[in-house]
């Protein structure tokens, strides 16, 4: 009876440790949520967003976005402050640098192409690249994150873009950024030979490079599992000794 109880508790411990090891592996694929407010200031003597191309407004009145004071083709370059709260004097977290163009002939939809340059804490120096459609007629717009640098190298994700306050042409926009970084095992050796799917994978010119680069991730992963198994066996042995 005691031996059976010890065996089953050892099995439970083993399963728990394997679950912990799996969660550890997955931590690189988790999503980070960052929240910001962007200040798009077009008025006054010190604007952060400046119209650099006046669009022809082709396509008739439907191409005009009166609420934005824009017509089809209008292009604005921005270096907008990004802060912690809706107040422009709250903690500065970065700048949104890029441009937006009214690129719909039937509504107030912008094409946004910008880098979110982070400047605070351990984010300082990292950037997030945003490229997408901002349909200002929608309450919440989803823009893709197409990459990043520094802490957010190889990031993917999206930004929820919501106008919090509009004062004339000036806007305060709430940004909710969701980022996933690739983690390990995502590097492809550019010098590795390319084999087509039907190749069987063992061409005569095949060097060792591709094998070693693709082998890196599974090695570290199996190391974690092996460690868990060793600890579980040790615990099982201790439990076994204690019950005898
Ligand atoms: C961010 O990094 C720059 C360049 O290294 C440095 O000058 C600046 O003081 C840093 N800012 C913060 C808030 O750490
Ligand atoms: C909206 O912006 C204007 C101008 O900056 C400001 O006076 C007003 O208090 C803001 N409203 C809200 C709800 O934040
Ligand atoms: C993600 O993987 C890299 C490379 O293996 C590692 O240096 C980093 O600490 C990992 N990050 C997390 C959050 O586990």
């Amino acid at each position: 009876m005691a031996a059976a109880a010890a065996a089953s508790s050892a099995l439970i411990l083993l399963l728990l440790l394997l679950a912990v090891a799996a969660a550890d592996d997955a931590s690189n694929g988790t999503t980070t949520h960052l929240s910001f407010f962007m200040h798009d200031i077009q008025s006054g003597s010190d604007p952060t967003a400046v119209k650099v191309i006046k669009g022809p407004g082709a396509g008739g009145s439907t191409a005009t976005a009166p609420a934005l004071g824009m017509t089809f083709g209008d292009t604005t370059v921005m270096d907008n402050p990004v802060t912690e709260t809706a107040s422009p004097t709250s903690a500065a977290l970065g700048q949104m640098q890029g441009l937006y163009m009214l690129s719909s002939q039937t509504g107030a939809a912008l094409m946004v192409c910008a880098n979110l340059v982070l400047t605070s804490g351990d984010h300082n120096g990292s950037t997030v690249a945003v490229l997408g459609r901002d349909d200002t007629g929608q309450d919440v717009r989803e823009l893709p994150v197409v990459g990043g640098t520094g802490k957010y190298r190889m990031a993917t994700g999206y930004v929820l873009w919501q106008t919090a306050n509009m004062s004339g042409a000036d806007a305060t926009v709430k940004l909710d950024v969701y980022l996933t970084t690739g983690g390990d095992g995502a590097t492809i050796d550019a010098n590795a030979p390319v084999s087509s799917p039907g190749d069987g994978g063992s061409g005569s010119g095949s060097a060792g490079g591709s094998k070693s680069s693709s082998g890196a991730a599974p090695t570290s992963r199996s190391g974690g599992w092996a460690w868990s198994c060793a600890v579980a066996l040790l615990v099982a042995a201790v439990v076994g000794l204690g019950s005898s």
Side-chain angles (χ1 to χ4, degrees):
M1 283 295 274
S8 65
S9 56
L11 180 64
I12 289 167
L13 273 168
L14 175 67
L15 291 174
L16 278 174
L17 286 164
L18 290 179
V20 167
D24 198 31
D25 279 340
S27 62
N28 250 312
T30 53
T31 301
T32 304
H33 175 205
L34 305 171
S35 184
F36 304 104
F37 286 83
M38 177 181 86
H39 307 276
D40 189 82
I41 303 154
Q42 301 189 21
S43 67
S45 58
D46 195 15
T48 64
V50 175
K51 189 182 290 177
V52 288
I53 297 172
K54 177 77 193 88
S61 59
T62 53
T64 305
L68 297 176
M70 294 180 81
T71 56
F72 182 62
D74 277 5
T75 302
T76 300
V77 61
M78 63 178 154
D79 186 359
N80 288 339
V82 170
T83 63
E84 189 174 4
T85 73
S87 165
T89 55
S90 62
L93 301 179
Q95 298 288 128
M96 185 70 82
Q97 298 176 341
L99 54 88
Y100 53 89
M101 174 186 281
L102 189 73
S103 57
S104 167
Q105 298 214 54
T106 54
L110 309 172
M111 193 284 283
V112 176
C113 177
N115 294 306
L116 174 56
V117 183
L118 299 169
T119 55
S120 77
D122 64 343
H123 300 282
N124 192 8
S126 296
T127 69
V128 173
V130 180
L131 178 67
R133 184 169 188 264
D134 173 11
D135 182 353
T136 62
Q138 302 290 314
D139 183 29
V140 181
R141 292 85 75 184
E142 178 183 335
L143 281 75
V145 165
V146 296
T149 65
K151 194 174 175 182
Y152 297 110
R153 180 184 290 172
M154 308 215 308
T156 54
Y158 58 98
V159 183
L160 298 181
W161 196 281
Q162 183 172 22
T163 306
N165 185 16
M166 200 85 194
S167 170
D170 298 345
T172 303
V173 180
K174 186 175 195 300
L175 305 175
D176 283 291
V177 187
Y178 294 86
L179 297 169
T180 305
T181 43
D184 55 5
T187 304
I188 294 168
D189 184 354
N191 294 322
V194 177
S195 58
S196 63
D199 253 6
S202 56
S204 57
S206 182
S210 65
K211 284 196 189 84
S212 63
S213 63
S214 64
T219 302
S220 67
R221 190 159 294 127
S222 63
W225 284 72
W227 180 85
S228 302
C229 289
V231 171
L233 286 173
L234 184 66
V235 168
V238 168
V239 168
L241 283 175
S243 68
S244 64

